[in-house]
Amino acid sequence: MSPLDKNAVLELDGYLEPFFPAIAARHDIYQKWVNTINESEGGFEKFSKGYDKFGLHALPNGDVVYREWAPNAKEANLIGDFNQWNRISHPMKRDQYGVWEITVPAASPGVPSIPHDSKLKISMILPSGERIERLPAWITRVTQDLSVSPVYDARFWNPPEAERYKFKNQRPPKPQSVRIYEAHVGISTADGRVGTYKEFTTNILPRIKNLGYNVIQLMAILEHAYYASFGYQVTSFFAASSRYGTPEELKELIDTAHGMGLTVLLDVVHSHACKNILDGLNNFDGTDHQYFHEGAKGRHELWDSRLFNYGSHEVLRFLLSNLRFYMEEYQFDGFRFDGVTSMMYLHHGIGTGFSGGYHEYFGPSVDTEGVVYLMLANDFLHKLYPGVITIAEDVSGMPLLCIPTDKGGVGFDYRLSMAIPDMWIKLLKHKSDDEWDMGNIVHTLTNRRYREASIAYAESHDQALVGDKTLAFWLMDKEMYTNMSDLSPLTPVIERGLGLHKLIRLLVHSLGGEGYLNFEGNEFGHPEWLDFPRAGNNNSFHYARRQWNVVDDPLLRYKYLNEFDAAMNHLEAQYHWLSAPPAYVSLKNETDKVIVFERAGLLFIFNFHPTNSFADYRVGVEEAGEYKVVLSSDEKKFGGFDRVDLNGRYHTTPLEWNNRKNWLQVYIPTRCCLVLGKN
């Protein structure tokens, strides 16, 4: 491998020059890992298939082979239903690397002695003489019976050939523009219970397709002990959550989505792990430093969880194989990496505000091992799967995060623009409409790193959680319960709420990034926050569901927001503004509260003024010609008043205006947006 090209890095950002030694140093560590894996493991192709070696595997002749890495154990036995939990009948043998192995002979030719879906564990004796029992670390199926215990049972998932799901559809090509629908299978029913993979496949996939989204981001799939953790306290990394159904049913969901042309991403949690011992990785072989850093370095104070040792060969095998497993076994198309800020800094972002000073990104607070792990993960995924999509959840603004590793970057395709939803919440919480600063709104939406793609969103699952409110709830609050019927009067609160909900979402969609994300239900202004069953709410499911009934009711006004969401997605699919160069903003008028910009050949005009409509409003546009309305938020079908003539034609005048070569005049009503396209 050749050394990192300094010019290639500085061409992206000249301010990186003083920090190039740090960038080169982390790149050297990354290259050393690549060389080590190539020399000792035969390359990433083999190394990332650790799941073929570890865990339980039924051979064609019916034998079952089980391997587990537990270097601290002095003895190990496989126990389970198959041997009446006998702790000495099935001893395992250890190799020089601390890997234990056993082959359980077939009951008869082709028939395993360990029945499909039966329970098992590994029983180990430590140097102290203590016996401990754990769920296999690479287990692919665990189940929980809360009527007995919150602790999971490991199961040998080995369905008969006839019951194994066979994929029918190819992965769709990598989308030119990503329009992401962030979803949680469990809350995707209107009933007060946990929804299922099958229900999601039947009921939700068609909604996502009809709304014009082309990417689904599935949350809370890796098995987690506590439902209310939203999937972020993972216990079994290779087990898709059994709360929603079987592995075969998840495969069917993804395959069906592929058949609809939908790309499916997994929200993957490699930033930390649940500290559970009985059904997690913590103290797996009796030490606190097997998968994690020992002591305080291996614990996250705020999340009360364990932190991986990314400098360990076997931990890298485990985590990289985990990514490969979901790409291969379930045919996911990529990942949204949770908690990337925590992985990249020794302080994990706790109590740290990022000023944007470059010393924060390359100084002593950086966790180089964490950054290098992310480089390795992105690099191997993109080499093996050219169509893969990786997204980083990073609040710090780390430069080069979304630049390929061979140019000194971390290798992600996109980062989440986490400042955007925060801005809207602050405005709705603390400012009256006439105090909104158009310049600051535009700055927040356009403030992203050169040539690094970002995903813009007005709100995600974070903003929907209890203690916070969705945008719709901030805008309309209690009147959502009394005045969302078309049979009731349109109050000023509801009129404002519907108007601003549409403006905010289209502005974010068209100006804020190279991708767009919406959390399920928010497209129609879901009336309530999200709160999972827990002790504090008497284990209620009342808020852990999505009320599709309100958007499906033709008498309720939620349908207008839903229609507008679909319209803006379908318009993007036609014009591809997300994959176009960033917009040129020609107007940020603080008095009129008007924002005007061009992107992908379209002219976007937003009027945020709470009371004023403007007739013959002059706006600049670069390209001369005749323009027509391609989208108006004031249409009746979007809950508007049809004040804009959809058949109107707008002709440019060849005189400079707002630094554009031409101008045209429009009528732009209060709290409305117009999108014009060339005729």
Side-chain angles (χ1 to χ4, degrees):
M1 285 188 174
S2 53
L4 187 59
D5 181 352
K6 184 175 183 179
N7 293 332
V9 174
L10 300 186
E11 182 196 334
L12 294 163
D13 186 346
Y15 290 109
L16 290 171
E17 180 150 30
F19 306 98
F20 182 76
I23 296 166
R26 80 180 185 194
H27 194 264
D28 286 347
I29 296 168
Y30 149 78
Q31 285 202 332
K32 277 180 189 158
W33 269 118
V34 171
N35 293 340
T36 298
I37 289 163
N38 285 341
E39 288 160 16
S40 66
E41 300 282 353
F44 283 90
E45 161 64 31
K46 285 186 180 171
F47 187 61
S48 62
K49 278 197 158 183
Y51 53 85
D52 279 349
K53 175 183 177 183
F54 291 93
L56 291 123
H57 298 281
L59 304 182
N61 67 359
D63 290 356
V64 175
V65 179
Y66 170 48
R67 294 187 191 91
E68 193 76 70
W69 177 58
N72 187 51
K74 289 298 169 219
E75 286 181 34
N77 284 265
L78 180 61
I79 61 173
D81 292 338
F82 76 100
N83 66 1
Q84 292 76 52
W85 301 91
N86 187 319
R87 286 171 166 161
I88 56 172
S89 63
H90 287 76
M92 301 177 72
K93 285 183 182 165
R94 176 194 164 114
D95 71 9
Q96 75 245 47
Y97 304 109
V99 175
W100 296 87
E101 180 176 341
I102 184 174
T103 299
V104 181
S108 58
V111 180
S113 297
I114 307 176
H116 164 56
D117 212 26
S118 63
K119 296 176 188 176
L120 39 75
K121 283 183 180 178
I122 179 171
S123 180
M124 294 175 278
I125 294 181
L126 306 183
S128 65
E130 180 191 358
R131 181 181 289 278
I132 60 171
E133 288 169 357
R134 301 286 186 261
L135 306 194
W138 299 70
I139 197 76
T140 59
R141 173 79 168 164
V142 296
T143 58
Q144 186 183 49
D145 183 351
L146 287 173
S147 65
V148 177
S149 162
V151 177
Y152 276 95
D153 293 310
R155 293 178 177 272
F156 177 48
W157 191 254
N158 182 37
E161 193 59 34
E163 293 173 26
R164 291 176 188 267
Y165 187 79
K166 311 286 193 301
F167 287 92
K168 304 171 186 67
N169 300 300
Q170 294 290 313
R171 285 192 172 104
K174 187 173 184 173
Q176 181 181 350
S177 304
V178 295
R179 303 181 298 276
I180 303 171
Y181 196 83
E182 183 184 36
H184 181 292
V185 171
I187 66 162
S188 296
T189 169
D191 303 333
R193 57 177 174 80
V194 179
T196 68
Y197 295 126
K198 277 206 164 292
E199 289 170 317
F200 193 94
T201 304
T202 304
N203 303 329
I204 311 305
L205 289 182
R207 287 183 188 271
I208 297 170
K209 178 69 175 171
N210 292 338
L211 282 164
Y213 291 93
N214 57 6
V215 180
I216 305 170
Q217 183 175 296
L218 285 182
M219 306 178 64
I221 294 295
L222 278 63
E223 193 58 274
H224 45 292
Y226 185 40
Y227 190 46
S229 77
F230 224 141
Y232 293 120
Q233 290 283 346
V234 176
T235 44
S236 293
F237 282 78
F238 288 84
S241 182
S242 58
R243 283 184 180 87
Y244 325 123
T246 68
E248 312 311 306
E249 288 162 352
L250 175 56
K251 291 173 188 176
E252 182 185 28
L253 186 164
I254 294 165
D255 192 32
T256 306
H258 286 166
M260 295 174 154
L262 298 168
T263 294
V264 189
L265 306 182
L266 175 67
D267 191 348
V268 73
V269 186
H270 282 181
S271 46
H272 63 129
C274 180
K275 70 174 188 180
N276 282 12
I277 291 174
L278 294 179
D279 53 8
L281 288 179
N282 192 14
N283 286 72
F284 185 85
D285 69 351
T287 66
D288 80 336
H289 58 265
Q290 184 187 356
Y291 285 97
F292 311 110
H293 286 293
E294 60 187 325
K297 192 179 179 186
R299 287 170 171 77
H300 196 293
E301 295 167 30
L302 286 186
W303 296 342
D304 194 27
S305 54
R306 296 302 314 267
L307 296 170
F308 286 106
N309 177 3
Y310 303 110
S312 156
H313 192 99
E314 288 304 321
V315 172
L316 288 184
R317 186 198 309 277
F318 183 83
L319 293 175
L320 296 177
S321 297
N322 192 229
L323 299 172
R324 184 84 185 273
F325 176 78
Y326 284 101
M327 293 292 290
E328 292 284 338
E329 186 70 16
Y330 288 101
Q331 297 285 301
F332 277 97
D333 303 297
F335 303 94
R336 178 257 197 198
F337 281 76
D338 177 69
V340 163
T341 307
S342 177
M343 299 169 79
M344 295 196 300
Y345 303 94
L346 296 168
H347 53 60
H348 311 300
I350 300 172
T352 306
F354 289 91
S355 67
Y358 280 35
H359 63 284
E360 296 168 339
Y361 305 123
F362 303 103
S365 61
V366 173
D367 186 341
T368 305
E369 288 179 348
V371 175
V372 167
Y373 164 67
L374 292 168
M375 292 169 73
L376 293 168
N378 277 302
D379 193 42
F380 108 85
L381 283 170
H382 285 90
K383 283 194 170 114
L384 287 179
Y385 308 98
V388 75
I389 295 172
T390 60
I391 302 170
E393 188 212 23
D394 169 48
V395 75
S396 77
M398 164 81 77
L400 304 177
L401 187 67
C402 301
I403 296 296
T405 51
D406 59 2
K407 292 190 170 69
V410 184
F412 284 100
D413 294 298
Y414 300 93
R415 59 158 33 99
L416 291 173
S417 290
M418 299 178 75
I420 294 175
D422 293 346
M423 173 195 70
W424 293 117
I425 297 294
K426 282 174 189 160
L427 283 176
L428 293 169
K429 236 178 179 173
H430 303 299
K431 302 277 186 189
S432 61
D433 293 2
D434 56 357
E435 293 177 310
W436 286 22
D437 183 333
M438 299 295 109
N440 181 58
I441 290 171
V442 168
H443 174 73
T444 306
L445 287 166
T446 55
N447 181 25
R448 49 192 190 268
R449 295 202 177 276
Y450 174 61
R451 280 163 63 177
E452 294 195 46
S454 65
I455 306 284
Y457 57 105
E459 51 186 341
S460 70
H461 70 269
D462 285 326
Q463 285 71 41
L465 292 173
V466 70
D468 213 329
K469 298 179 186 178
T470 61
L471 283 182
F473 219 56
W474 278 115
L475 288 163
M476 295 177 275
D477 212 84
K478 60 181 184 294
E479 287 202 22
M480 295 187 83
Y481 298 112
T482 56
N483 287 85
M484 282 300 270
S485 168
D486 263 333
L487 303 178
S488 66
L490 182 66
T491 65
V493 168
I494 297 297
E495 183 183 337
R496 169 182 177 264
L498 295 178
L500 287 179
H501 197 272
K502 291 178 287 185
L503 262 69
I504 288 169
R505 297 171 82 76
L506 180 59
L507 184 64
V508 171
H509 202 312
S510 53
L511 187 61
E514 289 70 39
Y516 176 74
L517 178 142
N518 163 65
F519 178 65
E520 72 175 312
N522 290 352
E523 68 275 7
F524 63 83
H526 199 275
E528 286 162 349
W529 57 79
L530 195 56
D531 187 13
F532 286 86
R534 56 189 173 86
N537 64 14
N538 293 319
N539 290 312
S540 167
F541 277 92
H542 183 74
Y543 296 111
R545 60 197 181 105
R546 296 283 90 177
Q547 297 182 48
W548 307 110
N549 47 300
V550 301
V551 71
D552 293 341
D553 188 334
L555 294 177
L556 297 183
R557 293 179 168 125
Y558 296 99
K559 65 177 186 266
Y560 299 134
L561 299 179
N562 201 63
E563 283 290 324
F564 186 74
D565 200 77
M568 66 181 189
N569 278 326
H570 288 300
L571 192 65
E572 198 290 325
Q574 189 179 342
Y575 288 94
H576 305 295
W577 62 68
L578 289 169
S579 54
Y584 182 89
V585 182
S586 61
L587 184 65
K588 300 168 280 191
N589 190 305
E590 299 300 344
T591 307
D592 298 342
K593 302 294 179 200
V594 172
I595 295 170
V596 179
F597 59 87
E598 294 146 84
R599 192 174 185 187
L602 297 175
L603 178 62
F604 294 83
I605 306 156
F606 290 80
N607 178 8
F608 280 93
H609 201 286
T611 55
N612 292 357
S613 298
F614 302 105
D616 298 327
Y617 198 83
R618 187 175 290 191
V619 297
V621 62
E622 191 69 9
E623 282 192 41
E626 183 184 77
Y627 285 77
K628 63 175 181 180
V629 177
V630 294
L631 183 63
S632 161
S633 68
D634 196 45
E635 283 190 64
K636 268 270 184 2
K637 66 180 179 182
F638 305 140
F641 300 96
D642 273 344
R643 290 166 291 190
V644 174
D645 179 5
L646 298 180
N647 297 312
R649 294 293 179 264
Y650 303 84
H651 297 274
T652 57
T653 299
L655 290 172
E656 192 170 306
W657 188 259
N658 290 341
N659 292 321
R660 308 312 271 158
K661 289 178 183 169
N662 305 279
W663 58 259
L664 51 77
Q665 289 180 316
V666 296
Y667 170 53
I668 178 77
T670 172
R671 292 198 182 113
C672 282
C673 51
L674 273 183
V675 186
L676 304 182
K678 291 279 290 284
N679 205 8

